[in-house]
Amino acid sequence: MEKKIQLYNSISRQKEEFKPIHDTHVGMYVCGPTVYSDVHLGNCRTFISFDIIFRYLKFIGYKVRYVRNITDVGHLLDDGEDRILKGARLQQLEPMEVVQKYTNGFHAMMRIFNTEEPSIEPRATGHIVEQIEMVQQIIDNGYAYEANGSVYFDTLKFAQSTGEYGKLSGRVIEELVAESRDNLKNQDEKRHPSDFAIWMKAAPEHIMKWNSPWSIGFPGWHLECSAMSTKYLGTHFDIHGGGNDLKFPHHENEIAQNIGSCGCHPAKYWLHTNMLLLNGKKMSKSDGNTISPLELFSGDSVHISQGYSPMVVKFFMLQAHYSAPLDLTDEGLQAAEKGFKRLMEASKILSKLQGLNAGKGSLDEEMIGLADAALTEMSDDFSTPKALAKLFELVPKINSLGDGKLSLNDVSDTALDHVRQSFHGLIFDVFGLKDEQAGENNAVDGLMNLILSIRQKARANKDWPTSDEIRDGLKAAGIVVKDSKDGSSWTYE
Ligand code: AMP
Ligand code: ZN
């Protein structure tokens, strides 16, 4: 399959052909969740988007190492309190209990949305040694200084000597000064207000702290991603992702740390997902403009008229490009529910179609063209909405072939196989959608086949008590088994 992907170069802001650093192997790092509360739908949108990018790269033949971290220390709130420690204080739990609880919840939600696990999921607290080493390298290179046991990145010196600070977010140092709120409490220790802490000295009552050459303390939030991406993907890798709220200061500071420690730009491409909105406004817990994934699935929210299944929600998200804002509305979800059903029905019909087994059909060219166009759209900066639009152009053709409005003599089986590869490949392997009802039915069918084959063996061995026990047990569960000379079948009572 063709591997010509077009991506935006985030520094030059030009679209260009994606060329992996190591030919067929792609390294991708995505900033993972800070695990101090339940994952919200905005987070889900970002992680679903990168899951699809991960899957598409594999689909077209790349080997991908996908690293997505768990932030379990150092991500401070505006008032300077560590998010994990706040979670622990409010819930009266050990910090690591908080981390485990919300990591488990995050994983469960990712499974509900049928996303794949990343190749490596490192935790910040498991990489304190690497972070301390990186702080030392940055100090040795003259881009960081110690003050009262904390270590600060010298942004002014870095900006003046490398010209690199602010390029990703497109800001100049004066703006950065005005916006920098990092570690407000210790502004007097910094040489310049936009300097940021890469190691923080811990107060005596602080729980999560480690020994270091400078103090007993903890690493700055930005540092973990620099240290862990370098450890698992090398000093220069292909793709770095995250939500666009992380461009500044998090990603800008990551770049500064990587260049400051080893002189290398960490990533060739930076991909940023845009924010999920609710009824046109930023989702926010404080003004009630929020909805949790579980409320969305159950319909238990003032913002929606009914519940929507996880696959409908995912399909809804795919209708917008990852880099565009997406507004979650009841009407949008209702339309998505209809669209998703149509897509699943067409995919079932497509599986069963049988065309000419020799020669060409008059519909071949058009159908192959649409299937290929869907892949071309995905290769253009992973445009899920445009790829879906091409698949939806195929839907009426598939339906008409299914109900006889178009003749199966006008399409060859080779062409249908080609269409199936893109259509099913994109829907199931790349987008990770699944027909929820079919899944349930398949599971019941599979279980019943297994149970009846065990009963059949018992009957062949004249083990009547086991055979009867299975039949009676199934009856109690509302399933009737009928025996005939051809074997056993079942129905719901
Ligand atoms: P956090 O747990 O806050 O560190 O966020 C985890 C990821 O979700 C980051 O990549 C954020 O940029 C992203 N994110 C946070 N809020 C939203 C939102 N409303 N829409 C899309 N992505 C978001
Ligand atoms: Zn990060």
Side-chain angles (χ1 to χ4, degrees):
M1 208 171 287
E2 267 224 284
K3 288 187 186 167
K4 281 195 182 157
I5 292 184
Q6 300 288 317
L7 282 187
Y8 276 103
N9 181 314
S10 31
I11 307 290
S12 70
R13 299 182 205 281
Q14 300 293 320
K15 218 179 229 182
E16 60 184 45
E17 192 181 322
F18 168 64
K19 291 210 179 76
I21 298 160
H22 302 291
D23 196 27
T24 54
H25 288 62
V26 176
M28 177 162 90
Y29 186 92
V30 171
C31 295
T34 307
V35 283
Y36 73 113
S37 62
D38 286 325
V39 62
H40 65 70
L41 272 170
N43 303 139
C44 294
R45 180 190 187 197
T46 287
F47 298 124
I48 288 171
S49 301
F50 286 108
D51 177 62
I52 288 168
I53 291 172
F54 174 45
R55 285 165 177 262
Y56 187 64
L57 289 167
K58 289 193 292 178
F59 184 71
I60 59 173
Y62 288 115
K63 290 218 173 331
V64 188
R65 181 180 292 169
Y66 172 25
V67 183
R68 185 186 66 203
N69 69 302
I70 293 285
T71 295
D72 59 357
V73 70
H75 192 179
L76 307 186
L77 292 155
D78 284 349
D79 64 4
E81 186 171 12
D82 187 307
R83 284 170 161 78
I84 304 293
L85 293 181
K86 182 172 182 186
R89 181 168 58 75
L90 294 179
Q91 299 179 56
Q92 299 192 324
L93 294 172
E94 266 294 307
M96 279 301 127
E97 275 182 292
V98 172
V99 165
Q100 194 64 55
K101 176 176 169 187
Y102 293 110
T103 304
N104 292 348
F106 167 61
H107 287 160
M109 193 50 68
M110 290 294 100
R111 276 195 295 275
I112 287 175
F113 279 118
N114 197 29
T115 66
E116 291 189 355
E117 282 154 15
S119 329
I120 306 178
E121 192 176 52
R123 284 184 181 193
T125 53
H127 297 77
I128 300 292
V129 172
E130 289 82 352
Q131 294 180 77
I132 290 176
E133 277 170 10
M134 195 170 248
V135 173
Q136 191 60 58
Q137 283 167 348
I138 300 172
I139 295 176
D140 293 347
N141 291 338
Y143 291 121
Y145 54 90
E146 189 203 329
N148 191 26
S150 291
V151 180
Y152 294 96
F153 193 94
D154 192 333
T155 50
L156 196 60
K157 184 167 176 199
F158 177 76
Q160 283 167 350
S161 57
T162 64
E164 293 286 351
Y165 203 54
K167 272 192 178 170
L168 180 75
S169 54
R171 290 164 210 233
V172 290
I173 192 98
E174 289 73 26
E175 282 180 73
L176 300 179
V177 174
E179 286 185 47
S180 181
R181 289 181 302 185
D182 188 68
N183 204 11
L184 276 178
K185 280 195 295 196
N186 300 325
Q187 285 294 7
D188 52 337
E189 289 175 356
K190 297 182 186 180
R191 290 184 188 161
H192 197 255
S194 63
D195 292 355
F196 58 92
I198 52 180
W199 185 264
M200 278 176 261
K201 182 179 171 179
E205 67 278 8
H206 197 94
I207 308 175
M208 295 167 90
K209 54 192 173 191
W210 293 265
N211 222 337
S212 81
W214 315 285
S215 63
I216 295 178
F218 55 95
W221 169 43
H222 315 302
L223 191 65
E224 61 171 275
C225 292
S226 290
M228 294 190 286
S229 63
T230 304
K231 172 154 180 164
Y232 297 111
L233 297 172
T235 51
H236 185 51
F237 53 92
D238 297 295
I239 297 174
H240 193 310
N244 67 4
D245 57 331
L246 298 187
K247 250 191 207 172
F248 179 82
H250 186 55
H251 290 160
E252 201 69 76
N253 290 350
E254 258 189 78
I255 295 175
Q257 291 162 161
N258 283 68
I259 298 179
S261 64
C262 78
C264 332
H265 248 287
K268 206 169 164 188
Y269 298 94
W270 288 81
L271 303 188
H272 288 104
T273 50
N274 214 316
M275 295 293 105
L276 184 70
L277 311 170
L278 180 60
N279 297 321
K281 284 190 289 179
K282 189 176 186 290
M283 271 201 202
S284 147
K285 275 189 193 159
S286 51
D287 62 13
N289 195 44
T290 186
I291 183 167
S292 73
L294 294 181
E295 285 166 349
L296 190 53
F297 303 152
S298 66
D300 184 16
S301 160
V302 292
H303 298 291
I304 45 174
S305 58
Q306 59 167 94
Y308 297 96
S309 76
M311 288 302 114
V312 168
V313 176
K314 186 171 180 177
F315 177 82
F316 170 78
M317 290 183 180
L318 299 185
Q319 290 177 309
H321 191 261
Y322 72 81
S323 66
L326 174 61
D327 190 14
L328 193 88
T329 61
D330 200 36
E331 302 80 61
L333 286 161
Q334 276 175 15
E337 193 169 63
K338 288 201 189 95
F340 177 65
K341 203 165 158 228
R342 259 188 104 213
L343 195 65
M344 286 301 122
E345 276 164 9
S347 95
K348 264 188 268 175
I349 296 170
L350 180 62
S351 314
K352 292 184 192 141
L353 292 182
Q354 265 194 327
L356 298 166
N357 54 20
K360 271 191 169 183
S362 56
L363 290 171
D364 285 12
E365 202 179 319
E366 190 187 355
M367 292 189 70
I368 289 176
L370 285 170
D372 288 351
L375 295 177
T376 307
E377 295 295 2
M378 265 310 278
S379 292
D380 185 3
D381 197 13
F382 309 106
S383 182
T384 54
K386 289 189 179 164
L388 273 174
K390 293 293 168 198
L391 297 184
F392 271 102
E393 283 186 51
L394 275 167
V395 166
K397 306 231 172 302
I398 294 168
N399 291 345
S400 298
L401 285 167
D403 64 17
K405 287 197 188 96
L406 284 173
S407 164
L408 283 164
N409 289 328
D410 289 336
V411 65
S412 71
D413 230 15
T414 325
L416 284 175
D417 274 342
H418 190 108
V419 171
R420 274 189 275 265
Q421 248 189 3
S422 316
F423 199 94
H424 291 150
L426 279 178
I427 296 176
F428 301 118
D429 302 341
V430 178
F431 300 157
L433 293 168
K434 54 182 184 182
D435 190 345
E436 286 149 326
Q437 277 175 341
E440 254 171 51
N441 293 345
N442 288 346
V444 173
D445 284 346
L447 283 172
M448 285 310 300
N449 287 344
L450 177 69
I451 294 168
L452 292 185
S453 106
I454 294 170
R455 183 161 173 271
Q456 204 54 43
K457 277 187 199 137
R459 285 164 71 81
N461 294 334
K462 301 202 174 355
D463 177 2
W464 308 118
T466 302
S467 162
D468 291 348
E469 188 185 343
I470 293 174
R471 189 197 55 211
D472 296 344
L474 287 172
K475 185 156 194 320
I479 289 170
V480 186
V481 177
K482 286 189 198 126
D483 295 314
S484 73
K485 59 180 183 334
D486 300 327
S488 306
S489 61
W490 66 276
T491 53
Y492 288 109
E493 204 168 22

